[in-house]
Amino acid sequence: MQATIGKLGIAFATVLVLSACGGGDDEPRLMHLRSATQGPDEFGILPTKPLQMPEDLAALPAPTPGGTNITDPTPEADAVAALGGNPARLKAGGIPASDSALVAQVARFGTSANIREQLAAEDLEYRRANDGRLLERLFSVNVYYNAYEPMSLDQEAELERWRKLGLRTPAAPPGGAAQAATGN
């Protein structure tokens, strides 16, 4: 009797040890709603530009509290310059003339100054309400896809809906009949 219990105990311990070794994490870690680490955010660290002595010290702008610094990283402007664009156009105040109609259409019902904070609070409330079951929380199971599944778009059904309306979908793959005709 004791030998049977001992064998079952050893088998159970072996299963626990082997299950702990299986690190097959199929889901990306960025999809977890909570971080399990206390380390730095590697996406938030940007290198600063090297210090340079200006040709004319009198041409330097006056320091402004909360303003930008010459050595501050400007990844958007650097990317625009690397692709052959004019980074000074990023700093242009106001809305470009080419976008004024779009902005007028979007703002026709008014705008909210705190929309980002409002959306962040609503999303946090939604994620707390759809936080997963007790065991999912205890074992840090990713519940992102389950939480946002009611909001996901069925791509195939939407494509068919557009095609039934007779609208062109040039960026989408051809329909079933067209694919069968080409042999793909």
Side-chain angles (χ1 to χ4, degrees):
M1 179 72 176
Q2 288 182 340
T4 305
I5 293 174
K7 287 179 184 178
L8 286 175
I10 291 173
F12 183 69
T14 303
V15 169
L16 284 177
V17 168
L18 290 177
S19 65
C21 292
D25 191 13
D26 295 336
E27 296 175 353
R29 291 181 181 216
L30 292 177
M31 299 301 292
H32 289 287
L33 298 178
R34 286 180 221 85
S35 175
T37 63
Q38 297 296 324
D41 181 11
E42 57 270 8
F43 296 111
I45 300 171
L46 294 174
T48 58
K49 294 180 181 176
L51 294 175
Q52 298 176 352
M53 185 70 173
E55 294 176 13
D56 183 15
L57 294 176
L60 288 174
T64 56
T68 60
N69 191 336
I70 296 173
T71 61
D72 286 344
T74 54
E76 293 90 1
D78 295 342
V80 168
L83 294 172
N86 183 2
R89 294 194 57 165
L90 292 175
K91 296 179 184 176
I95 301 165
S98 59
D99 294 340
S100 61
L102 173 66
V103 172
Q105 178 69 17
V106 170
R108 68 188 182 276
F109 298 120
T111 59
S112 175
N114 66 341
I115 188 67
R116 291 180 188 263
E117 294 84 9
Q118 179 184 350
L119 290 176
E122 289 174 2
D123 184 56
L124 180 62
E125 182 181 327
Y126 180 81
R127 283 187 285 130
R128 283 184 177 155
N130 296 288
D131 200 18
R133 295 182 200 102
L134 176 65
L135 291 178
E136 290 173 336
R137 289 192 307 260
L138 285 176
F139 294 110
S140 297
V141 174
N142 187 346
V143 295
Y144 179 87
Y145 292 110
N146 292 338
Y148 289 101
E149 187 175 12
M151 297 178 193
S152 66
L153 177 69
D154 183 3
Q155 299 171 8
E156 298 296 327
E158 189 65 15
L159 182 60
E160 281 304 312
R161 184 179 76 84
W162 281 86
R163 286 183 175 156
K164 285 179 183 175
L165 291 173
L167 300 170
R168 293 184 56 216
T169 55
Q179 283 183 348
T182 61
N184 289 336

